[in-house]
Amino acid sequence: MTQDAVWFRQGKRHAGRDAIERALGARSNTLFVRHAITNLFELDAAETAASDDVLREHDPEWRPGQQASRVFSYYLTGYTCDDGTPREAPCDGGHLHKLSWVRTRLVQRDERWLIAEKYMLAQFIFHGV
């Protein structure tokens, strides 16, 4: 991620790598999570502009990226397990947690592609399924 990356997750905006690391650090240290990504594709300029409107609805601070970038859209399915004990795969007793639409913008810096923004918008939330 870039130093000034934005990550919008669980309805909250986290701006800057330090804020993102704090958000991740606040999770349970026994939480076991796995993700499955589907329907991944790169957005063209018109699709990016259309998805910009969606992001504006969820994040009043959202601003379009200024640097040349590549923008991707995909669905992210999350599976979780947390019974208070440290876990490794396979996790018995986990559950389907959430299906989110994700839009990620990558920028190229020093010949590396880095995440500049990641927006995760829940589409379905499952409760212990």
Side-chain angles (χ1 to χ4, degrees), residues 31-53:
L31 179 63
F32 184 83
V33 180
R34 290 295 180 263
H35 298 106
I37 293 174
T38 59
N39 301 63
L40 170 69
F41 61 93
E42 185 170 5
L43 299 177
D44 63 23
E47 293 165 330
T48 297
S51 67
D52 288 349
D53 293 338

Side-chain angles (χ1 to χ4, degrees), residues 1-2 15 21 23 27 33 40 45 50-51 53 58 62-64 69 77 92 100 105 115 120 129:
M1 295 190 121
T2 62
E21 288 177 5
R27 298 185 313 177
V33 180
L40 170 69
S51 67
D53 293 338
H58 292 274
W62 181 86
R63 301 290 177 268
S69 60
T77 304
D92 185 19
S100 298
R105 186 170 60 87
I115 297 170
M120 301 171 67
V129 176

